[in-house]
Every structure is written in C-alpha cells, then in structure tokens.
Amino acid sequence: MNKNLGTKLAVSVGILVVFLFGIIGIPKNWSGQGLLTAITDRVHLGLDLKGGTHLILQVQVDDAVRAETENAVERLKEGMRTGKINYADVSQLDPVNDPSKVVVKGVPPESSSDFRSLVSGRLPEYDAVSGAQDSWIVAIKPAALTELKNHAVTQAIETIRNRIDSLGVSEPVIQEHGLGQYQILVQLPGVDDPARVKDIIKSTAMLQIRQSFGGPYPSQQAAMSSGTLPPNAELLPGSNRANRNSEGGSWYVISRSSAVTGRDLRDAQPTKDENGQPAVGFNLTQDGGQKFYNFTSAHVNDSLAVVLDGKVESVARINSAIRDSGIIQGRFTDQEVADQCMILRSGALPASINYLEERTVGPSLGKDSIRAGVTAAIVGLIAVLAFMLVYYRGAGINADLALILNLIILLGFLGFTGATLTLPGIAGVILTVGMGVDSNVLIFERIREELRNGKTPPSAVEQGFSHAWVTIVDTHVTTVVSAAILFLFGTGPVKGFAITLTFGLLANLFTAVFVSRMIFDWVLGRHQRGEALSI
C-alpha cells in the first residue's frame, strides 16, 4: 500500500514540476516581476488581451477567374494556330460580369470537330458549346469554377500568412472567415502600425518586366499624340514613387506581353543602385533567367520597364544581355525596399482583396480585460476553495489541492503549446474550475452516502470513487463533444475557448480521481481504527 502510494506521489510531483516549468520556464530572476515576465513570455496573449488589429478581408475571386480565362484565350489562339483552325476573334465574353466564359468567333463549320478536340485536349476543365454565326462559347465547368474560387481563397491565406510571418507578428490568426463567402479573418496581436500592415497585405505584388516603347509622358493625350498605339502595346501609369519629383502623373507606352513575371522570381533582397540609393535586387529561376536572357539578347539598346501591380516603377536601357538577376529602381525608402522584397518573396496574391471590417483594440483596453478576467478568476477560485473547506472540512483540503494542481496543469499546457490566451480562454479556465469542483462534489457526496449506510471510511472511499467514476466520465465526455463542435465550426477566440476547456477537463479527470484518491489513501493510512473521516 505504502509502495503504491509512493509511486502515485512521485507521479503527481513529477507532473507538477513539468507543468510548472511550462508556466515559467527558467526565470532570469526569481523576484515577483521576474516571475511575471517569465509567465507572459510563455503564455501568449490574444488580440482582446494584448491589443492589435482585427480585419475581415473579401477576396475578389472573379480576378482569379478572369486571369484563368485570359490564359485560356492565349492557349486557344496558340492551339488554333498550331492546328490550322481559322477563326475571326477570341476574347472573354463579359470580363466584368461573367469572366468565366470565352467567345470564339468565325470558326468554319467544317472545323467544329477539330475545335472540340482542341478544347477537350488543351482545356479539359472547360466546356465548348456552339452558338450563332459560327461562334463558340467556351466556359469553365461549374465544379472547376468552384474549385478555382476556393483555391484563390486558400492561396490568398497562405500568401498573407507568409507576409505576416515575415513581419514578425506573434501568434497571428489568419483563416477563412466562416460567416461570409470568400472572406478571410486576420487578427494581429500587438501590431502598432496597422496602416503599413494593410498595405502589405493588400498589395498583389505582380512583378512584370516588359518592353518600353516610350515615356514618360505628362498625360495620356501626349502619349497618344500619334493617334494609335503600337500593336501589342498599352498605356500604363507611373507609380507614386516614380512621380515624386513631377507635378503631375506620368504615362508610358508598354508592351502587353511580359518577358518574365513574378512567377519566375527565385529571391528578392534589398540592395543599392549605382547612385547608392535603396533598390530591390532580384534573382530569377533557371527557366526565368533563360527567358530573360533571350528577351534582352533580342532587344539590346531598347528600353526595359519594370512593372509592379500594373504601374511602371522604372525604365532602363538594355546595354547587353542579362541572364538571371536585376535591380528595381524607383526612389524607394529603406522601409519600402524591405517591404517590396518581402512581398515579392511571398508571391503575388491570386486576386485583389477589399477590407470589409477593421477594428483596433488598444493595449489599455487589453490590460483592463486582463485585470477584469484575472480578478474574476481569483475571486471565483477563492470563493470555491473557501466553500469546499467549510462544507467538506478536512476533505475540502483534498479538493482544494487537486483544484490548484488542475490550474497549474492547464496553464502549463498553454505555455508548452504556445497557445494564445484570450478572454474566452479565461472563461474556459473559470469553467474548468467549476467542472473540477463538480467532480469532487460527486465523489464526496457518494462517500458521505456510504458512511451513512454504515460503511467503514476505507470502504466508503473505495465505493465513493468507483460509483462516481461513471458519472464523472459521462459529464466530461459530453462536455468535450460540445467543445469539439465549437472547435470545428467556431472562429479563433471560440476555438481557444474549446481548446482550453477540453484540456482543462482532461486535467480534471487526473486531479479529481487520481490525485484526490491518492490524498484520501494517505489520510486513511494515518487514521486510527474506528476514527471518523472528516468530510
């Protein structure tokens, strides 16, 4: 008996030490302030406690659909040229209202079979339906369209997460927002410059290197002085950085096709240009470098434009062939260079985004929330501990020790896992205290009932734990199932509540049954025969 009790005591003390380490780690000093700092370093605070920025973003999934059908237009043109299928025109049917469809005009009836084969071979995710006057409507299949839109949201989440991680934001929440279609929830605890973060998140960072035919022009009318643009050319504005030293805007005549794009990018790092000014240096992949070399070899002495997000950042003369690296100049500040490099490395967003909601929680409000939550937890805990001591006398000490160990295990779990503690998480801690007391009440009342029936204290304790066990497991399992549903369908703070509650219940099973029974066994081992049990 004593050997078994010693083993249980060793296990309990070992678990206590492990989870105490999870709470405080190894403090730099053991003063009160040092311990508080150690706890805050291990247990991360959520947005509602630490302060920060809460954003809901709307992904414009039609942009991704539009980009897909633009590629389909080019693939159809190339396929019809290769297959020698005559046609009059290939374009998007309605790029604004219905970007999922492409219209092909002027396909001779005798080429219908070849055209169907072309679509099924090159565009298997599209359906082709013949229309009037030798035209065809090529549309993305419904299942493929849904998958494309969902993938755009998933890719946007990953891109935003990469950008936020590069900023060093601690414990951000970036996930699909279940309350709206194609929406993303972003919570950034401790962010002190939300405007910069919003610009970084929203930037599509689509890098394109194109040929420049002329510019800068002070206006669109000046650029169109000849009345027409060269074939395969368009007008693009200069960026805000490019216009810093000009009174008005600037416009450039740029080729529609790109020599290389951001997809060919391998890395981007801050650097300096020939004048010692901050610039963005980039390196291309092997395939991208070969494309860049072929382009610059064919356009020596021509002009090259670097286009970011549809705006011209800089224009340079091609003096010789360039293979795998380059520099983006544009009157950048050091901070802008760092941000652009980070955005380019994280990749371009698959679609533009709009901000539907923005809330900022100040750190003072977070401190008030912490103070109120901790005060509620401490007052509730003291009231429960006092009640157990008054109502159950000596056995109340048993329950109080088990309850304190339960809280240590729960906070240690938060420290070990790096979980974020929010106000709902504090509510989960308080609820765990209540569930822990509930388990002890079930056990103690069962022991009292056995004592009233004439059982000896050892027998009453044995019967009390064995009979109350089934009820305790039943109540805990049903609560854990409810918490699992909250975790599966809830958002960040609700998930935090579910996780805290679940682990607290598992810890309670250990403390209310294992630890409490060990204490009873130790008390009974010191009792004289016939001595009453204080309960």
Side-chain angles (χ1 to χ4, degrees):
M1 180 70 174
N2 290 335
K3 182 179 180 181
N4 188 33
L5 186 60
T7 302
K8 289 182 178 181
L9 179 61
V11 170
S12 301
V13 172
I15 290 176
L16 174 64
V17 172
V18 168
F19 283 98
L20 275 175
F21 177 80
I23 298 175
I24 62 175
I26 302 178
K28 295 180 180 179
N29 64 76
W30 292 90
S31 65
Q33 185 60 40
L35 291 175
L36 181 61
T37 301
I39 293 174
T40 54
D41 288 342
R42 304 279 295 183
V43 180
H44 302 288
L45 301 180
L47 180 70
D48 51 359
L49 298 178
K50 190 176 182 180
T53 301
H54 168 99
L55 303 169
I56 296 180
L57 316 178
Q58 177 72 63
V59 182
Q60 304 300 305
V61 293
D62 281 350
D63 289 351
V65 177
R66 196 173 295 112
E68 168 60 29
T69 51
E70 285 176 355
N71 291 333
V73 167
E74 297 303 320
R75 281 181 284 173
L76 283 172
K77 289 180 179 179
E78 181 183 355
M80 287 189 286
R81 283 195 300 268
T82 304
K84 298 180 179 180
I85 300 174
N86 294 325
Y87 67 95
D89 182 57
V90 182
S91 63
Q92 292 174 309
L93 180 63
D94 186 354
V96 176
N97 299 314
D98 190 1
S100 65
K101 295 178 181 177
V102 173
V103 58
V104 184
K105 299 178 181 179
V107 178
E110 60 271 17
S111 300
S112 297
S113 178
D114 293 337
F115 182 77
R116 285 185 180 274
S117 299
L118 170 66
V119 173
S120 62
R122 292 211 173 197
L123 302 171
E125 66 276 12
Y126 286 75
D127 284 326
V129 179
S130 60
Q133 300 178 349
D134 297 334
S135 66
W136 289 81
I137 301 298
V138 181
I140 305 178
K141 297 176 181 178
L145 181 61
T146 300
E147 182 179 358
L148 175 62
K149 292 180 177 180
N150 291 334
H151 179 70
V153 176
T154 302
Q155 187 179 346
I157 290 174
E158 292 305 314
T159 302
I160 291 172
R161 179 175 288 112
N162 290 336
R163 296 178 181 183
I164 296 301
D165 287 346
S166 299
L167 291 173
V169 178
S170 176
E171 300 297 324
V173 174
I174 306 167
Q175 62 189 27
E176 192 166 352
H177 187 46
L179 301 181
Q181 193 174 31
Y182 310 127
Q183 294 179 7
I184 300 174
L185 171 67
V186 179
Q187 293 183 336
L188 308 174
V191 169
D192 56 0
D193 190 0
R196 176 185 170 223
V197 172
K198 286 174 61 179
D199 289 341
I200 289 174
I201 289 176
K202 193 172 182 179
S203 175
T204 54
M206 179 59 73
L207 170 67
Q208 297 172 313
I209 298 180
R210 308 188 192 180
Q211 185 178 357
S212 174
F213 297 115
Y217 298 102
S219 65
Q220 298 184 60
Q221 290 76 13
M224 295 283 293
S225 57
S226 61
T228 59
L229 292 175
N232 190 35
E234 63 177 335
L235 279 176
L236 289 181
S239 69
N240 293 333
R241 285 178 291 271
N243 295 332
R244 276 177 181 166
N245 293 340
S246 60
E247 294 182 0
S250 58
W251 293 84
Y252 299 81
V253 180
I254 306 296
S255 65
R256 291 182 180 274
S257 58
S258 303
V260 293
T261 68
R263 297 181 181 89
D264 301 305
L265 199 69
R266 186 177 72 240
D267 190 22
Q269 295 292 338
T271 186
K272 301 289 184 180
D273 61 17
E274 65 273 11
N275 298 317
Q277 297 300 312
V280 178
F282 64 88
N283 295 309
L284 300 172
T285 62
Q286 183 175 354
D287 291 341
Q290 186 60 48
K291 288 193 293 184
F292 198 36
Y293 178 79
N294 295 338
F295 174 81
T296 53
S297 297
H299 293 87
V300 174
N301 296 325
D302 290 339
S303 294
L304 187 77
V306 177
V307 181
L308 269 177
D309 293 338
K311 295 182 179 180
V312 177
E313 289 288 349
S314 60
V315 176
R317 181 184 177 89
I318 305 174
N319 295 319
S320 60
I322 308 170
R323 183 171 294 277
D324 60 358
S325 64
I327 293 177
I328 303 174
Q329 300 169 298
R331 297 187 179 93
F332 295 101
T333 65
D334 288 329
Q335 185 64 69
E336 288 172 340
V337 166
D339 289 346
Q340 285 292 347
C341 290
M342 181 267 293
I343 293 170
L344 290 171
R345 286 195 301 269
S346 68
L349 286 170
S352 60
I353 58 176
N354 291 332
Y355 290 97
L356 299 181
E357 181 182 334
E358 176 185 357
R359 295 201 307 268
T360 301
V361 179
S364 59
L365 179 60
K367 290 180 180 178
D368 291 341
S369 300
I370 294 174
R371 189 180 302 110
V374 171
T375 300
I378 292 176
V379 170
L381 179 62
I382 292 175
V384 168
L385 295 179
F387 170 81
M388 296 300 287
L389 286 174
V390 171
Y391 193 74
Y392 289 108
R393 293 175 289 182
I397 300 175
N398 182 332
D400 291 349
L401 290 175
L403 194 57
I404 292 171
L405 180 57
N406 189 2
L407 288 176
I408 292 174
I409 292 175
L410 180 54
L411 293 176
F413 165 76
L414 295 175
F416 275 126
T417 60
T420 301
L421 183 63
T422 61
L423 275 178
I426 293 178
V429 172
I430 296 173
L431 182 57
T432 299
V433 172
M435 293 291 291
V437 171
D438 181 62
S439 299
N440 287 118
V441 168
L442 288 173
I443 294 171
F444 293 173
E445 289 300 321
R446 188 70 190 198
I447 292 174
R448 278 182 168 183
E449 183 179 347
E450 297 296 334
L451 290 173
R452 284 194 295 267
N453 291 334
K455 298 287 183 66
T456 62
S459 178
V461 169
E462 176 69 29
Q463 293 297 315
F465 274 92
S466 62
H467 288 113
W469 167 251
V470 176
T471 304
I472 293 173
V473 171
D474 179 63
T475 57
H476 282 60
V477 168
T478 54
T479 309
V480 168
V481 170
S482 301
I485 295 173
L486 290 176
F487 181 82
L488 290 175
F489 298 102
T491 55
V494 176
K495 287 186 175 183
F497 170 80
I499 292 174
T500 304
L501 179 59
T502 299
F503 193 82
L505 292 173
L506 296 177
N508 179 55
L509 282 176
F510 169 75
T511 57
V513 178
F514 183 86
V515 175
S516 184
R517 178 62 186 273
M518 176 194 71
I519 296 174
F520 267 116
D521 288 343
W522 178 81
V523 171
L524 291 173
R526 298 171 62 86
H527 266 210
Q528 300 295 325
R529 183 180 295 274
E531 184 179 351
L533 184 64
S534 177
I535 187 170

